[in-house]
């Protein structure tokens, strides 16, 4: 931090298990990634290369080297995993991860149908060599999951070897634990937290209102994801109670 | 592309007549233009310097040189043409195009009233020395054109010498073939395609939902425009069926 | 400007007292700030480091040096002032301003309750050594101020030593003189202008519709703030009547 302010809330530091921020890079250039790290490197814990943008983005190797140099883990979006899987190219996918020294992998079924047992098998398989993030929830707004099913899936995926489970929200923040309006499904979130440890969940929360909601409801050590690179600094101020929306949250405690 | 994926849909390559992407630069710095090209150069077919932003943006010459070097044609937004026209400065406009070695020009009447015959005359005039894009549709949401008028205008402008006709949507994507809500006017679009060849139309589609609509309705070789620079890579994944919204579109064929 | 266009409206030049543009930097890297200045330096009159983003942004010293070099004044967002104030650290805040050679300061009470007399005292105090911008209006959408109270506060703050008074709108543009929908409260604005000189007011107007509203209602020499860096060039075209929304505004006069 650039100067001294008293009475700030406790804030976890790197490497973080709680209060961590996953940023979504959907096609930064190497130089833009450098800029991003120079400003927000201390507050971004992991970077997702959104869905399959890594397939077509120029400068991928250079950018991955920059993130590696900054010791910020990177993983490919789950949609890329699904694209390889549905084409029976999982071996190619593993070669790709190896080639790029990628250490984290997302296992998801947001765009494809998959037997639960198959998903657990894949999580276990990848967990042998990678840190696995698995995602629960469909990208399809019409596929609503009952709360007990959310809990069951999340617990089973963690049991299968996932490091953290991600709740799907999309870049737009309008599916999964959010209604199509972008509002959070409070009851569902409460139910999930009754059964799954908070630090094992990564909530996708691309919109400021959602970030505010999670910080207010769950504390500043909530794990949040799908944060646009230029929103990582604004999010950090929310976590510290240094933006209007959370200004009084930590002062009053 | 950075790696191998099977069963991808056919995708046109540069120089493209179909499936091309027009990006709107509304004031990138030279360095930002370099970054943009380094990431998405293979997928951007033409760049529009939005409306009259080129009039006030610093670094214009350097940026135009960068696009020229990358062999990406650039044209000034139609509003700039109209600003020169309404001031009786068309000769100045032509000098400007020459000075900057600009090869493409947009002829539009989105903000001014113009006789149809006058527009056709201007298209013919500029078509002698430039590749002409002409735009149909008003920036004024209250001026709704009947479908047969859309078709008539588009055909006449192509006959007059336009390389492609653009359907106005503005940066916000809420006029012309879109309703003020941003939703596409399906009937109008169908009527247009009955009479005008698909590759001759450039649909302005700044919002993701609109891009998805056009790709679903017309295929991945639809020409799309007014794409923000940092949305060119996301659009390319939509065209390839590598984002949730179009994931199954090409797999099932 | 890059070329000649006749019949443009009069436009103030730097250093501007009227028609000035305040941009909000919420975490640009030094290089991004350079890019911003290279494109829009002539049209940005002052930069606000949004709320407390300066507390956590990497590269702060280098960025401040770049703005200083470009002779663009910078000030810390009012929320940072309030964060120091509520912690009884105002002396630290003044040391911070001195250390960074910051010449402008925002005095606000958007997130805290403050006696009016206390606010006037603080304005007077800081006005001795700094150019003071003070902000009227709460960040809390539920706290609606009667028009006569707006006028009274604005006049008193100017009397106390403020260089300009800012009307709060937040980054989202949905409080203060705007309704939650983002629409402007026309009656309130008219009332304010009856009693407060136009050049003494800085209207926060982050959304294009709001900028268009103010330029249409008050002229192109209205002071506008909370403009995103990449929207400064688009705003400049609005001021010059070179974008569809204001194309005819100055031509017809």
């Amino acid at each position: 931090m650039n100067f001294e302010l008293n009475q700030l809330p406790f804030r976890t530091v790197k490497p973080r298990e709680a209060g961590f921020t996953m940023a979504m890079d959907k096609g930064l250039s190497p130089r833009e990634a450098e800029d991003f790290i120079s400003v927000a490197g201390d507050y971004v814990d992991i970077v997702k290369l959104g869905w399959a943008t890594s397939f077509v983005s120029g400068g991928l190797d250079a950018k991955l080297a920059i993130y590696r140099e900054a010791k910020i883990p990177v993983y490919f979006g789950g949609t890329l995993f699904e694209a390889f899987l549905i084409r029976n190219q999982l071996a190619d996918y593993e070669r790709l991860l190896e080639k790029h020294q990628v250490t984290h992998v997302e296992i998801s079924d947001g765009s494809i149908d998959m037997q639960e047992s198959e998903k657990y098998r894949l999580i276990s398989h990848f967990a042998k060599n990678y840190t696995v993030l698995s995602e629960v929830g469909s990208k399809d707004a019409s596929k609503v999951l009952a709360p007990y099913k959310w809990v069951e899936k999340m617990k089973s995926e963690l049991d299968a070897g996932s490091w953290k489970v991600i709740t799907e929200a999309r870049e737009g923040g309008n599916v999964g634990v959010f209604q199509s309006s972008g509002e959070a499904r409070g009851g569902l979130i409460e139910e999930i937290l009754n059964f799954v440890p908070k630090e094992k969940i990564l909530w996708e929360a691309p919109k400021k209102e959602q970030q505010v909601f999670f910080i207010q409801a769950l504390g500043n050590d909530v794990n949040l994801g799908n944060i646009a690179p230029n929103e990582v600094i604004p999010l950090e101020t929310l976590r510290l109670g240094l933006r209007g929306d959370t200004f009084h949250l930590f002062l009053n405690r």
Side-chain angles (χ1 to χ4, degrees), chain A:
Chain A
M1 280 130 193
N2 294 312
F3 29 89
E4 300 282 333
L5 269 173
N6 302 328
Q7 299 176 58
L8 289 182
F10 175 74
R11 180 75 182 98
T12 55
V13 293
K14 283 189 166 187
R16 295 183 181 92
E17 275 297 316
F20 88 65
T21 296
M22 175 267 274
M24 188 170 77
D25 170 344
K26 58 179 190 175
L28 295 182
S29 73
R31 191 154 57 189
E32 288 166 341
E34 272 177 16
D35 282 336
F36 171 38
I37 293 166
S38 79
V39 169
D42 288 347
Y43 313 110
V44 56
D45 297 282
I46 192 164
V47 167
K48 172 168 72 176
L49 304 184
W51 64 102
T53 52
S54 56
F55 183 59
V56 284
S57 303
L60 180 65
D61 287 4
K63 184 167 66 176
L64 289 172
I66 288 164
Y67 283 126
R68 222 158 37 225
E69 175 78 12
K71 303 204 188 319
I72 297 172
V74 171
Y75 68 100
F76 296 119
T79 301
L80 187 68
F81 162 79
E82 296 175 45
F84 274 95
L85 177 66
I86 207 166
R87 289 168 173 82
N88 290 313
Q89 287 187 259
L90 268 197
D92 292 336
Y93 190 57
E94 294 194 61
R95 270 189 290 274
L96 180 71
L97 299 174
E98 229 172 285
K99 179 186 161 198
H100 288 297
Q101 305 171 48
V102 170
T103 53
H104 290 60
V105 63
E106 178 176 340
I107 307 292
S108 61
D109 55 351
S111 297
I112 59 177
D113 288 321
M114 199 192 291
Q115 297 279 343
E116 292 186 357
S117 59
E118 172 66 2
K119 193 172 181 190
Y120 305 148
R121 194 191 63 75
L122 283 164
I123 291 170
S124 299
H125 171 74
F126 277 91
K128 283 175 207 140
N129 298 306
Y130 302 94
T131 304
V132 173
L133 299 98
S134 66
E135 190 180 59
V136 177
S138 172
K139 293 191 189 305
D140 184 342
S142 68
K143 290 188 183 166
V144 176
L145 226 54
Y148 84 94
K149 279 303 288 180
W150 277 88
V151 169
E152 194 182 289
K153 281 169 181 277
M154 292 172 86
K155 288 178 69 174
S156 302
E157 296 187 6
L158 288 167
D159 287 345
S162 290
W163 171 53
K164 294 192 194 289
V165 283
I166 305 168
T167 62
E168 167 74 66
R170 302 216 61 181
E171 195 201 352
N174 55 352
V175 300
V177 299
F178 301 111
Q179 293 168 20
S180 58
S181 64
E183 217 177 308
R185 300 187 201 269
L188 169 58
I189 290 164
E190 212 177 299
E191 178 81 0
I192 290 171
L193 286 167
N194 246 335
F195 297 97
V196 185
K198 194 171 79 167
E199 71 273 13
K200 301 308 281 179
I201 309 174
L202 173 50
W203 306 92
E204 290 190 352
K207 296 181 177 174
K208 190 188 83 162
E209 292 67 29
Q210 299 167 343
Q211 297 158 19
V212 170
F213 167 84
F214 280 116
I215 292 171
Q216 285 179 339
L218 310 182
N220 80 346
D221 60 345
V222 63
N223 297 327
L224 296 174
N226 276 18
I227 311 299
N230 65 352
E231 293 295 337
V232 168
I233 289 294
L235 169 57
E236 191 62 23
T237 63
L238 286 174
R239 291 189 188 274
L240 290 170
L242 292 175
R243 192 172 186 177
D245 315 78
T246 59
F247 193 87
H248 290 279
L249 204 58
F250 308 111
L251 281 175
N252 295 339
R253 280 179 187 181

